[in-house]
Amino acid sequence: MTDRLTVIVSSKRLAGCIKMVDSLNETATGDFNLMIACRVSDFQDYNEAIGVKPHVQLFPTPDNNTPRENGLIVLDHNKCEHIFTFADDGIMLTKGWDELLLNAMWSDNIGVVWPCTQNPDGKVLRHCFIMMLTKTWLKTVGYWSWDKFINYYVDPFIQTVGEKIGRAKCVDGVVWLHAHKDDEWSKGLRNKAGTDREMFYSMETKQEIERVAKLLRMEIKQRSVEWRPCTGCQPSL
């Protein structure tokens, strides 16, 4: 039984999804459960290619599902504390990525850590694109993706929340290659990126970041309170 879950939300990228899964399996140190959320219209193809395997869950999601709705699927079905999220258009380059990310997480399991992203041109980026979160974070916040975002600013939102509480970290020793597939799905999302950008810099988003950060700070404080016996007290007879 493993306490690690890898999540891939995939849309019409079966070949890329399989490459991502294979690279994760080949480079991981430990075992992990795998959850793949794919669109209903793609489910048959994914099911035939991936099939029924131990530690693999395949979930059909409505074709127009938002990131928030897909995130709630993870919350509803996940039993693991440590959750890695990956894209369906990349390859993991670093052996032992799972242990390196786990070792970077705070001991109370509240925070966000992520690998570096390497573009096809070799440029390495250090902002959050894929990440490791925990069930503790998700239960405290109540969602994975705030429902005001369509897609693009989900990760910057989480990174900003992590920075607000001093719990955000890029793990330099872990790198994945982002293939940047230029398909119709990507073009459709990019056309909506401006809407997400406008929302991300709005006062409403700033207020939500502060609200969520406050919840996480309270949880951190609560977990830091430990019971200690009174060394100066005598046991009662």
Side-chain angles (χ1 to χ4, degrees), residues 25-117:
N25 281 322
E26 290 168 3
T27 55
T29 301
D31 295 329
F32 56 82
N33 293 329
L34 175 64
M35 179 185 292
I36 300 175
C38 64
R39 306 201 305 177
V40 170
S41 57
D42 301 331
F43 183 77
Q44 184 174 347
D45 291 338
Y46 277 70
N47 195 42
E48 290 176 356
I50 297 170
V52 178
K53 298 179 181 178
H55 306 300
V56 177
Q57 296 172 295
L58 189 63
F59 285 95
T61 61
D63 285 12
N64 60 347
N65 245 23
T66 65
R68 175 186 173 87
E69 291 164 333
N70 286 331
L72 290 175
I73 290 176
V74 176
L75 279 175
D76 290 341
H77 295 88
N78 169 49
K79 304 300 181 184
C80 300
E81 176 62 25
H82 303 105
I83 308 169
F84 309 101
T85 67
F86 288 97
D88 58 1
D89 59 347
I91 298 173
M92 175 52 68
L93 301 177
T94 304
K95 289 187 179 296
W97 59 268
D98 49 339
E99 292 294 338
L100 291 168
L101 293 176
L102 280 166
N103 291 338
M105 178 56 68
W106 287 261
S107 59
D108 57 11
N109 287 329
I110 300 177
V112 54
V113 300
W114 63 90
C116 297
T117 299

Side-chain angles (χ1 to χ4, degrees), residues 85-176:
T85 67
F86 288 97
D88 58 1
D89 59 347
I91 298 173
M92 175 52 68
L93 301 177
T94 304
K95 289 187 179 296
W97 59 268
D98 49 339
E99 292 294 338
L100 291 168
L101 293 176
L102 280 166
N103 291 338
M105 178 56 68
W106 287 261
S107 59
D108 57 11
N109 287 329
I110 300 177
V112 54
V113 300
W114 63 90
C116 297
T117 299
Q118 180 178 316
N119 286 338
D121 61 5
K123 183 178 181 181
V124 176
L125 308 174
R126 299 185 75 256
H127 65 266
C128 182
F129 187 88
I130 57 177
M131 71 195 77
M132 174 189 164
L133 282 174
T134 64
K135 190 173 184 179
T136 299
W137 173 296
L138 297 179
K139 288 180 68 175
T140 302
V141 173
Y143 58 75
W144 194 306
S145 167
W146 192 33
D147 59 2
K148 299 294 184 179
F149 296 124
I150 299 169
N151 182 73
Y152 269 98
Y153 280 77
V154 173
D155 308 317
F157 178 88
I158 294 173
Q159 178 178 340
T160 304
V161 172
E163 291 170 346
K164 279 285 183 181
I165 64 172
R167 298 288 187 92
K169 186 186 302 180
C170 175
V171 182
D172 291 322
V174 183
V175 183
W176 77 293

Side-chain angles (χ1 to χ4, degrees), residues 205-221:
T205 297
K206 291 179 181 178
Q207 292 172 345
E208 179 65 6
I209 288 172
E210 291 294 344
R211 186 189 73 84
V212 170
K214 183 177 180 180
L215 291 174
L216 291 167
R217 289 192 195 100
M218 290 172 60
E219 184 66 20
I220 291 170
K221 183 177 181 180

